[in-house]
Amino acid sequence: MSKALNFIKKSNHVLFFLAVTLFIVVISVEFISEFFDHKYEPPKIALVDNSDTQEQIKQTQYTKEYFAKLKDVYIFTLSAKEIDITQHHDGEIYSMFTGSKVSHDLYNGHFLSRNAVNLMFVRENSKPHMLLRKDGLLLEFSKARVSSSEEEHLLNKNVYLIINEDTNRNGYLDHEDSAKLFTSTFDGKDLSLILEDVGSFRTIENNKLLISQEGQSPQFYTFDLTSSTLLTLDTSIKTSREKL
């Protein structure tokens, strides 16, 4: 009888151990699955056409978020999941932002918010200035820097990588569309196009950029922010065949 009880007791311990192990395995699998189900997806902005007045106008729902302060200018990002391609920003700014959400996170680490579609530059006791007259998708923003360090070079202008056209006609602004590189003054004015079909850019020395261009014939360029000079780098590969 005692042997039978000991056997049952040991069996219960084994079953309990197996149950705990199975529970841990199930929880781990669910955690891993959930982690991989939330892979990073590039930002994607839906385009809404409100030109048909017979339909109800669908207003863009913005989220305003503090980005940084540059000299006497406060910079805010505007994010949205969809934008109205018939809308432009001038004197109607205040009515457009009626009911917009406000992010209270003032410690965003100076990174552009996901689905950033515009930038607002604000001075105290002054009306706000919008970077883009028509919303687009802001991929990167390097703000002007008046002091340099080993990690960062001087920049006398702001630099932006922006998608503002649905070049593949899929109804969205996303990473498959052509990106353009722009500059502006530190307060977001005098927006100027540098180059289209841009892959990426980086600051290589004070007020100088290295730019890669996409397309069938990829190119590399340098751009001097002080003189606004764009130069092509000759990176062609030349070969010759020896005569045997």
Side-chain angles (χ1 to χ4, degrees):
M1 184 72 178
S2 61
K3 289 183 179 180
L5 289 174
N6 286 334
F7 176 78
I8 293 172
K9 195 181 222 180
K10 289 180 180 179
S11 299
N12 287 337
H13 287 156
V14 172
L15 290 174
F16 177 76
F17 174 77
L18 291 175
V20 171
T21 303
L22 181 62
F23 175 77
I24 293 174
V25 170
V26 170
I27 293 297
S28 300
V29 169
E30 288 182 358
F31 175 79
I32 294 172
S33 299
E34 184 176 351
F35 177 80
F36 283 102
D37 284 343
H38 291 82
K39 292 180 180 178
Y40 169 77
E41 293 183 2
K44 190 176 185 180
I45 308 295
L47 302 177
V48 178
D49 187 350
N50 283 320
S51 58
D52 187 354
T53 55
Q54 294 180 354
E55 298 290 334
Q56 184 178 1
I57 293 178
K58 191 173 184 180
Q59 288 190 333
T60 303
Q61 297 297 312
Y62 295 101
T63 298
K64 289 182 287 187
E65 184 175 15
Y66 173 71
F67 179 77
K69 185 174 184 288
L70 187 56
K71 296 184 180 180
D72 63 337
V73 176
Y74 300 87
I75 306 173
F76 295 84
T77 60
L78 273 70
S79 304
K81 295 181 179 179
E82 54 189 20
I83 57 176
D84 180 0
I85 61 174
T86 65
Q87 172 182 284
H88 57 83
H89 299 283
D90 6 276
E92 304 299 322
I93 286 178
Y94 294 107
S95 64
M96 288 177 184
F97 296 146
T98 302
S100 61
K101 297 180 182 178
V102 174
S103 171
H104 298 285
D105 180 12
L106 301 180
Y107 305 96
N108 60 9
H110 303 304
F111 291 104
L112 280 176
S113 54
R114 180 177 174 81
N115 288 3
V117 297
N118 218 325
L119 291 175
M120 179 191 288
F121 295 80
V122 182
R123 282 187 169 94
E124 294 179 3
N125 301 318
S126 181
K127 290 184 179 180
H129 169 75
M130 303 298 298
L131 176 70
L132 301 175
R133 190 169 182 269
K134 281 195 164 188
D135 293 328
L137 174 57
L138 278 71
L139 301 177
E140 293 185 50
F141 171 32
S142 293
K143 61 186 179 68
R145 292 189 289 268
V146 295
S147 61
S148 62
S149 64
E150 291 184 0
E151 294 80 18
E152 296 181 327
H153 300 286
L154 291 173
L155 285 177
N156 60 13
K157 294 181 180 178
N158 295 339
V159 184
Y160 316 87
L161 188 61
I162 301 173
I163 294 174
N164 60 3
E165 289 185 69
D166 180 17
T167 54
N168 63 357
R169 307 294 181 188
N170 69 345
Y172 295 89
L173 297 182
D174 55 29
H175 68 288
E176 295 182 358
D177 293 312
S178 174
K180 301 175 184 177
L181 197 63
F182 293 86
T183 61
S184 80
T185 54
F186 78 94
D187 54 358
K189 297 180 179 179
D190 298 328
L191 189 67
S192 179
L193 176 66
I194 299 176
L195 191 66
E196 298 186 10
D197 297 325
V198 173
S200 62
F201 74 95
R202 63 175 295 178
T203 309
I204 53 174
E205 58 184 72
N206 289 342
N207 292 312
K208 197 162 191 176
L209 307 176
L210 179 65
I211 308 168
S212 68
Q213 188 180 43
E214 298 181 324
Q216 294 183 347
S217 301
Q219 298 282 353
F220 291 93
Y221 299 84
T222 61
F223 182 76
D224 191 307
L225 292 171
T226 303
S227 63
S228 298
T229 303
L230 182 69
L231 296 176
T232 307
L233 296 177
D234 185 0
T235 57
S236 58
I237 301 174
K238 301 177 177 65
T239 60
S240 60
R241 189 180 297 277
E242 293 184 1
K243 294 182 179 179
L244 298 178

